[in-house]
Amino acid sequence: QVQLVESGGGLVQPGGSLRLSCAASGSGFSIRSAAWFRQAPGKERELVASITSGGTTNYADSVKGRFTISKDSAKNTVYLQMNSLKPEDTAVYYCNALIVMNAYWGQGTQVTVSS
């Protein structure tokens, strides 16, 4: 089973920066699209940023211009660079990813058509 592990969180002052990482452990798969969500105490979980398989990104209005989502397909890792942090950014940040299994070759079987 694939496991996603977030890291990089911590305590920073207003205006500071953090870089969150989301590493997918295991083998035989690859990340297609991904997103970061966050949930503050007493609030609903909200979408912060997303990235498609083609690299197109989208951001919540509240973080636009300050946060950047990216992914490293070779490392099966998703990142969230957070700059100019505000007190209202305080939350637990969660990673979500759409993952597909790698395609594998079979050994092949000979077909001969003859009279």
Side-chain angles (χ1 to χ4, degrees):
Q1 185 177 48
V2 176
Q3 182 176 357
L4 301 180
V5 180
E6 299 94 338
S7 63
L11 175 64
V12 297
Q13 292 184 306
S17 298
L18 283 174
R19 179 178 164 89
L20 305 184
S21 297
C22 172
S25 63
S27 61
F29 64 88
S30 61
I31 295 177
R32 288 287 87 106
S33 59
W36 284 95
F37 294 79
R38 68 184 182 186
Q39 186 169 29
K43 297 185 65 178
E44 295 290 322
R45 181 174 297 189
E46 65 171 340
L47 176 64
V48 175
S50 64
I51 185 168
T52 69
S53 60
T56 301
T57 58
N58 288 100
Y59 301 92
D61 289 340
S62 59
V63 307
K64 195 169 298 181
R66 300 186 297 118
F67 290 11
T68 302
I69 187 172
S70 62
K71 60 184 172 75
D72 186 334
S73 297
K75 295 182 178 180
N76 276 333
T77 302
V78 183
Y79 304 96
L80 184 67
Q81 179 67 47
M82 305 186 293
N83 299 325
S84 302
L85 284 163
K86 305 175 181 179
E88 48 263 46
D89 294 320
T90 297
V92 176
Y93 285 72
Y94 298 92
C95 176
N96 181 270
L98 178 63
I99 295 174
V100 298
M101 181 182 178
N102 293 342
Y104 295 91
W105 287 97
Q107 79 277 15
T109 182
Q110 179 69 52
V111 174
T112 302
V113 181
S114 177
S115 62

